[in-house]
Amino acid sequence: MEAVLGQVEQLPALLAASRSALVRDWDSLTLDRALEWARYFQHLHDRFHSRPRLREALCRRLRRSQPRPLLSFPDLGRCPQLLGLALLENRALPPAACRRLLHSLLQPPGAEAGSQRRSLALLARRKAASRLLALSPLPPAPQGLRPQVQAEAQLLLNRLREEGQEAEPAGEAAGRLRWLSGVLEQLPQPRAFEVIVAALLLRQGSGAGQAGGRGRDGNSQDGNQASGTGDECVAGLLLSWLLGDLQRFSAFCLFLPGSLLASLADQYSQLSRPYLDLLTSWGSHLVYDPLQGRWVKSCIDKAELSWEELRERFRCLCQGSVLLKGQTQAALKLLKARDGDFKVCGLSVWTDLLIEVEEYLRKE
């Protein structure tokens, strides 16, 4: 078994080499050996798929052999496709080796021909989609999300769902979260936030049961859809990454407009409480300037939002479902009481916010 673990440890190096300039020296024989290794790793996946202890041993060795845990056990099962895609994208691959690669993909070993051809078709579709989306700038998409980002989010959702369909040991969810973190942390932060938002909105639009989601009347929708359980796990992973770091979540909330954040908080109950806590933290850094007659930032570095921006965020939350509106008003009333329960303006930012919000709701 130790020999097998040692071989699995070489998988990240094989994939890294396939993306590098080293392939410039590959001939057909070298390419065949690389593809044989890829099929061997696929064989290990099929062999140990139903053996949790051995699966976990393979996962530990994979994590140990790469700087970031981008690979997980399911990646062994699609190793020929991962290697093939990396080589097809590598312009350093010599023409003879490239022709050999195409021949191998189109005419794989007989026992695996059916599954390989299906995988090749999927690989071709994804590759073609990415090429078409990269050709030219496209017009804005619904919700202000660009089609390229929506396509990336859909691929991410598909990948997470595919991995979730496998019978996984208890610790595999943590491995999927590490994989997700590794993927998203490779993107510039604004782009990663766009992909997360698009993925959450795509789940919402697909009609799947939300993880902790609710309708406009505030009633829970958990478990109402056949695909709810799997999609709840996917949403849980996305939200766990987002909420796992306060600085990241703060940047995410500053990046998005208040209306979109309120919509997400309405659909995903895990977001509403942390978002209200964050608004509370930002509001606590506002002080009243009697000369200007308004609330101003006490410290530029800590007060992320102005009074006007903070007021708008609370208004957006109160435009949501009955449950979210009630939760927001209850939070403001509690903050007002803790701050002295003042009745006049200019003494507590929470008193003033509650007055503004209630007046705004009366006008609606």
Side-chain angles (χ1 to χ4, degrees):
M1 186 61 192
E2 185 59 37
V4 172
L5 293 175
Q7 291 165 344
V8 169
E9 202 169 24
Q10 302 304 313
L11 173 57
L14 173 63
L15 293 178
S18 68
R19 302 186 194 101
S20 73
L22 294 174
V23 301
R24 186 176 290 113
D25 299 323
W26 284 21
D27 55 17
S28 297
L29 183 59
T30 306
L31 179 69
D32 285 344
R33 284 200 298 266
L35 292 172
E36 285 173 9
W37 274 111
R39 288 190 287 269
Y40 170 71
F41 291 131
Q42 185 180 48
H43 168 72
L44 291 181
H45 172 273
D46 297 341
R47 181 179 176 185
F48 297 126
H49 178 268
S50 58
R51 303 174 71 176
R53 290 187 179 180
L54 294 177
R55 277 183 55 142
E56 183 56 33
L58 291 173
C59 288
R60 284 198 302 270
R61 190 58 65 97
L62 271 175
R63 291 195 291 269
R64 194 175 80 177
S65 63
Q66 52 189 326
R68 285 209 250 171
L70 300 181
L71 296 174
S72 59
F73 182 80
D75 289 315
L76 292 175
R78 47 180 162 260
C79 194
Q81 288 74 48
L82 292 175
L83 180 65
L85 180 59
L87 290 170
L88 286 173
E89 291 181 329
N90 194 340
R91 295 187 178 183
L93 189 67
C98 188
R99 286 192 296 272
R100 182 69 176 175
L101 172 63
L102 292 172
H103 178 79
S104 176
L105 290 174
L106 292 170
Q107 296 183 352
E112 302 171 358
S115 62
Q116 286 282 5
R117 288 194 183 106
R118 287 193 296 272
S119 297
L120 178 61
L122 177 60
L123 182 68
R125 287 198 300 272
R126 291 180 176 176
K127 180 65 176 176
S130 66
R131 290 294 189 190
L132 286 172
L133 289 170
L135 285 177
S136 61
L138 296 171
Q143 295 282 354
L145 298 171
R146 290 174 291 136
Q148 299 100 316
V149 175
Q150 289 184 316
E152 290 173 1
Q154 187 62 65
L155 291 175
L156 180 65
L157 285 174
N158 291 344
R159 174 68 183 275
L160 290 172
R161 285 166 180 158
E162 287 169 6
E163 294 196 6
Q165 288 172 358
E166 300 201 24
E168 298 175 340
E172 192 67 20
R176 291 169 69 198
L177 180 57
R178 285 192 296 269
W179 175 85
L180 178 64
S181 299
V183 169
L184 293 174
E185 286 166 12
Q186 289 186 91
L187 300 173
Q189 198 168 76
R191 184 61 170 267
F193 293 159
E194 285 184 293
V195 171
I196 285 290
V197 170
L200 292 173
L201 291 175
L202 284 169
R203 281 196 67 259
Q204 174 184 330
S206 68
Q210 275 79 14
R214 47 187 181 244
R216 293 289 298 177
D217 59 356
N219 294 326
S220 173
Q221 297 176 338
D222 290 348
N224 290 343
Q225 302 292 334
S227 61
T229 302
D231 265 11
E232 286 173 11
C233 293
V234 170
L237 288 169
L238 297 171
L239 295 173
S240 292
W241 178 83
L242 194 58
L243 297 170
D245 183 276
L246 182 58
Q247 187 175 1
R248 177 195 299 146
F249 182 59
S250 177
F252 175 80
C253 291
L254 286 172
F255 173 72
L256 293 184
S259 57
L260 184 51
L261 272 169
S263 176
L264 290 173
D266 220 350
Q267 296 296 329
Y268 298 96
S269 58
Q270 299 97 316
L271 285 177
S272 58
R273 186 70 259 173
Y275 182 40
L276 280 170
D277 290 343
L278 195 58
L279 292 177
T280 300
S281 174
W282 289 340
S284 66
H285 294 293
L286 295 177
V287 296
Y288 191 76
D289 186 338
L291 297 178
Q292 299 185 51
R294 64 188 186 92
W295 293 92
V296 297
K297 296 179 180 182
S298 61
C299 178
I300 299 298
D301 294 336
K302 293 183 179 180
E304 301 287 359
L305 296 181
S306 67
W307 158 260
E308 292 77 14
E309 292 168 331
L310 191 66
R311 179 183 60 191
E312 182 60 25
R313 299 272 177 145
F314 276 104
R315 284 179 177 178
C316 288
L317 288 172
C318 288
Q319 290 176 325
S321 66
V322 173
L323 185 58
L324 183 62
K325 175 183 174 182
Q327 184 181 13
T328 303
Q329 288 181 292
L332 284 173
K333 289 176 181 178
L334 179 61
L335 290 166
K336 172 179 174 287
R338 287 178 178 175
D339 215 20
D341 208 16
F342 297 107
K343 308 296 183 183
V344 297
C345 297
L347 297 178
S348 167
V349 67
W350 310 118
T351 295
D352 292 10
L353 276 170
L354 185 59
I355 291 173
E356 290 271 357
V357 166
E358 290 180 341
E359 183 180 350
Y360 172 77
L361 292 174
R362 281 194 299 269
K363 291 179 180 178
E364 280 199 319

